[in-house]
Amino acid sequence: MAVRLDELAVPVIAAPMAGGASTPELVAAVNRAGGLGFLAAGYRSAPAMAEQIALVRKSSDRPYGVNLFVPSPPGDRAAVAAYRERLQPEAERWGVTLPEESGQPDRDDWEAKLAVLLADPVPVVSYTFGLPTAEEASALRAAGTLQVGTVTTPEEARAAQAVGMDALCVQGPEAGGHRGTHRVADVPGEVPLLRLLPAVREVTGLPLVAAGGLGDGAAVAAALRAGAVAVQLGTALLRSDESGASAAHRAALTELPETTVTRAFTGRPARGLRNAFIDRHGPYAPPAYPEVHHLTAPLRAAATRREDTEAMHLWAGTAHHLARSGPAEAIVTDLWRSAQG
Ligand SMILES: Cc1cc2nc3c(=O)[nH]c(=O)nc-3n(C[C@H](O)[C@H](O)[C@H](O)COP(=O)(O)O)c2cc1C
């Protein structure tokens, strides 16, 4: 099932959204619209990823993608411990226990996921937070999988081409969720998507997918004019019927006024709706991923249970106020019609 990103019937890719927003139903709905659906394997075990792949295969015979988090080197334990101290009063207030650092590196089941994807290949795999080794990429290529590397700078684009990526997802600073920045401690780039695309084009001839802040037809058309063969939409699909986003997250997308980039929740820079938790703790969060993700997990779970949008992580791109509700198939179809109009 060879797939080319420059030959999609509708050049719209559903962004993989880990943490529950991406569902097999969302993949199938975007596929029905003629786009490319994506599963998010981040935070899932390899068997859980395989289960989701099986569900997609049952509901769609079109190509789809699976996104992987590339593991990062361990963060500074003392800095994580200091952040834990800082969050302690917050934890006491809400009656939650902050986990102690396990000392075990968390590689997001990377090796096991690659083994599953080699044994039972899928049409497309994309990577964020870094790149596979050239050997890993070459094994997946031999299995017939098209591979997409997420990049946020021309330098990362060069590295992605060097390890054998077939296409690049160029993620601008407008993007909702984590920046795909390859090194955890790097300050993420601020060159806007429409200028980043031509800058990346200067260093590579690979097909480019544009991601970040694309919320209406005009924005999609502009990204395609700037050199992308397709666009990757995350926030625009968060309020769709098939999204797994929580009710509080959906409501906040229209209610909260602005987004900001913060390490407060996970240790990696991510764009989310600005709230009190970010304002209080963001400046003190160390660049340690996924250690900070695990540290804040019970705080975030408690905030989600009480639907407290001032303490939840509410990933959203800059165009969040344009996100529509309704079936994802209609959202993609209308957006593409308006982009062509
Ligand atoms: C809730 C949410 C979760 C995300 N999770 C992932 C992920 O698991 N893997 C990934 O590569 N990108 C992830 N992203 C980033 C998207 O791939 C994409 O870059 C971004 O959504 C584009 O910007 P937009 O949200 O303004 O459309 C996520 C984005 C959001 C909003």
Side-chain angles (χ1 to χ4, degrees), residues 180-225:
T181 314
H182 292 186
R183 284 180 299 264
V184 180
D186 278 3
V187 174
E190 287 187 357
V191 176
L193 178 63
L194 293 184
R195 284 206 280 124
L196 184 57
L197 284 163
V200 168
R201 173 56 72 225
E202 276 189 22
V203 303
T204 176
L206 290 175
L208 306 181
V209 174
L214 305 175
D216 59 16
V220 167
L224 296 175
R225 274 199 308 275

Side-chain angles (χ1 to χ4, degrees), residues 146-183:
L146 183 110
Q147 293 171 89
V148 185
T150 304
V151 301
T152 63
T153 61
E155 182 212 344
E156 290 177 353
R158 267 201 208 97
Q161 172 151 335
V163 298
M165 292 295 103
D166 302 300
L168 304 180
C169 174
V170 179
Q171 190 199 44
E174 302 89 343
H178 284 114
R179 301 301 304 280
T181 314
H182 292 186
R183 284 180 299 264

